[in-house]
Amino acid sequence: MAAEAPKISPADVAAGLMSVKIDGMQDLPITGLKMVKTGEQIVFMSSNGRFALYGGKLLDVWTQQEIKDLPDIDRIARRIDLSRMKLNIDDLGPVTVGRGKDSVLIFIDPRCPYCGKVMKDLQALQDRYTFKLIMVPVLGQESQNIVVQLACQQASKDQKVQESVRQRLLKQDYAGLPTDNPASCNKAPLQRAIVTAKLFGLPGVPFLIAPDGRTHSGAPESLADWLENKPAVVQAPGNTDKTEKKP
């Protein structure tokens, strides 16, 4: 039977694919796919465990919502709904700036210039939002030393010490910080922050999560407009990434 089967050329395959009517297409925020076998059941999962494909259904495991159509990608998959997750942001040792009703989560590296832009922009929005700055070292050993020192100080119950950490971050002024590892320090919040950053699959810093779950990698051209979900202004050709990635 194999000998009698008609030969199919690559050109025929390509022509067949080109003839398929496609009504729409969306990229899924999935990095890697793993096959998981449990008993007789096979489940395909994204590498961070967020998306699961089984029985012909695609499920957002974090929010327990099924993704059925293209609009669901933007409504569900491209958002991180912290209210649906069993995650206490305060367990990550955040540096809090502002006193507004709506909370904004921002992952930063203390030495990242684009993070500095975001931290400069957010200072004018402190009455409208509460910003939770989560420090993660992505720019090498110097960043790691700074993050450890600031995280250990942030764990202090002394409000003056916490205010000093806040001002150092906002000004990106780390002169005079010790270089030796602190003798006693609760590093659990920092460790949880790093694990959470990996879980979220951060492509770089800054990484922002708006009150409605929208995410943004890099420094928005206008932080206020992005938080209000206003249409972005089209930028001229050039470096529009505005994200610091791991070296």
Side-chain angles (χ1 to χ4, degrees), residues 122-139:
L122 67 80
Q123 294 182 56
L125 305 171
Q126 295 185 58
D127 291 335
R128 298 165 58 187
Y129 302 96
T130 295
F131 297 93
K132 301 279 188 175
L133 308 179
I134 308 295
M135 294 180 288
V136 287
V138 302
L139 296 179

Side-chain angles (χ1 to χ4, degrees), residues 35-100:
M35 178 186 287
V36 180
K37 184 174 182 180
T38 168
E40 296 300 319
Q41 187 177 25
I42 297 293
V43 179
F44 294 92
M45 298 196 72
S46 60
S47 57
N48 66 349
R50 177 173 185 182
F51 301 102
L53 180 64
Y54 65 96
K57 296 182 178 181
L58 180 62
L59 181 71
D60 182 344
V61 178
W62 293 357
T63 63
Q64 294 297 302
Q65 297 182 84
E66 185 181 354
I67 299 170
K68 300 179 180 180
D69 204 350
L70 292 177
D72 293 340
I73 303 298
D74 286 324
R75 186 177 62 85
I76 300 174
R78 295 195 185 281
R79 301 186 183 220
I80 298 179
D81 189 347
L82 298 173
S83 66
R84 287 176 174 261
M85 302 176 65
K86 295 180 179 179
L87 177 65
N88 185 352
I89 301 304
D90 290 335
D91 289 342
L92 309 182
V95 175
T96 301
V97 181
R99 50 197 172 273

Side-chain angles (χ1 to χ4, degrees), residues 167-214:
Q167 292 304 317
R168 280 188 178 277
L169 272 182
L170 294 177
K171 298 176 182 178
Q172 291 191 308
D173 179 9
Y174 311 116
L177 275 178
T179 55
D180 297 332
N181 285 328
S184 60
C185 171
N186 177 16
K187 295 183 180 178
L190 175 56
Q191 292 167 345
R192 284 192 287 265
I194 293 173
V195 170
T196 302
K198 291 182 178 179
L199 177 69
F200 287 169
L202 264 65
V205 288
F207 184 80
L208 300 82
I209 304 177
D212 62 1
R214 286 177 298 110

